[in-house]
Amino acid sequence: MSKTGQGGHGSRGRPAAEVWLDARLKRAAEGDHDAFADVYDTLARPVKGLICRVLRDEAQAEEVTQDVMVEIWRTADRYRPELGTARGWVLTLAHRRAVDRVRYVQAGTARERRSALLAEDRPFDEVAETVERHEDHRRVRHCLAALERRQRVPLTLAYYQGMTYLEVAACLATPAGTVKSRMRSGLRLLRRCLEAR
């Protein structure tokens, strides 16, 4: 069955496109390279979008997406259609991998922080500056948390991940003009909040 032109419903009232994708994943599990290419073409973009939302880092999202797609090729025989759709199975794998990467990065950051705190002979000025910087970060985080999600997420990607607004737009699969406008209004609210604190 071809993927194009599917608007109807397949077995058990599920959309025909999902039934087609389930069948392609089952064929991929049997070693069919063309079937896997179809699965890859259909799901690589939604997988990357999900991972990017978790990681907030496009370069890492790209890397984890490739890992996930390789894992799907290697473990496609574990997919059980009776438990859910191919899309659901793949996105669950992607989410787990993304969360694993976040935990790994956080553990590394915590180790670096502990090492820095244990460093001997730090001058008083350096310690005072670190405390002040930490307080500034705390205020910014508090004000960011007060923003609506559609404003907070682009600003977080831009300022904590160093993304341009075009990269943010690509990561969030949102038009660049919309992202720019949300960032502008978010910055105004952020500035107001910081001045009030």
Side-chain angles (χ1 to χ4, degrees), residues 16-88:
E18 293 298 334
V19 173
W20 174 84
L21 187 60
D22 294 355
R24 298 310 282 164
L25 185 58
K26 284 197 288 192
R27 291 290 303 274
E30 295 160 7
D32 185 328
H33 289 267
D34 290 336
F36 178 71
D38 288 338
V39 171
Y40 188 99
D41 291 344
T42 305
L43 293 179
R45 186 182 171 102
V47 162
K48 184 180 175 188
L50 170 65
I51 292 171
C52 199
R53 284 193 294 278
V54 174
L55 296 181
R56 315 245 192 266
D57 180 317
E58 191 167 12
Q60 280 196 61
E62 186 71 49
E63 186 184 321
V64 176
T65 297
Q66 291 310 313
D67 290 347
V68 168
M69 299 315 287
V70 168
E71 183 179 355
I72 290 160
W73 169 247
R74 283 186 14 254
T75 64
D77 59 331
R78 294 185 194 161
Y79 166 61
R80 296 288 174 267
E82 64 274 12
L83 299 178
T85 65
R87 180 182 300 273

Side-chain angles (χ1 to χ4, degrees), residues 34-151:
D34 290 336
F36 178 71
D38 288 338
V39 171
Y40 188 99
D41 291 344
T42 305
L43 293 179
R45 186 182 171 102
V47 162
K48 184 180 175 188
L50 170 65
I51 292 171
C52 199
R53 284 193 294 278
V54 174
L55 296 181
R56 315 245 192 266
D57 180 317
E58 191 167 12
Q60 280 196 61
E62 186 71 49
E63 186 184 321
V64 176
T65 297
Q66 291 310 313
D67 290 347
V68 168
M69 299 315 287
V70 168
E71 183 179 355
I72 290 160
W73 169 247
R74 283 186 14 254
T75 64
D77 59 331
R78 294 185 194 161
Y79 166 61
R80 296 288 174 267
E82 64 274 12
L83 299 178
T85 65
R87 180 182 300 273
W89 182 73
V90 168
L91 291 176
T92 299
L93 280 178
H95 188 263
R96 280 190 200 135
R97 274 297 188 102
V99 169
D100 287 347
R101 176 62 68 96
V102 168
R103 287 181 181 143
Y104 174 79
V105 169
Q106 285 174 341
T109 303
R111 275 194 305 275
E112 286 171 16
R113 262 196 216 116
R114 281 195 301 274
S115 297
L117 289 172
L118 293 172
E120 295 177 16
D121 300 328
R122 294 176 71 197
F124 174 78
D125 287 349
E126 188 182 332
V127 174
E129 189 179 308
T130 302
V131 169
E132 194 175 309
R133 215 171 31 241
H134 179 72
E135 180 60 21
D136 287 345
H137 286 315
R138 191 191 63 74
R139 285 182 19 235
V140 169
R141 280 196 306 271
H142 173 83
C143 288
L144 267 174
L147 296 176
E148 287 183 31
R149 187 178 187 282
R150 63 197 181 95
Q151 294 165 330

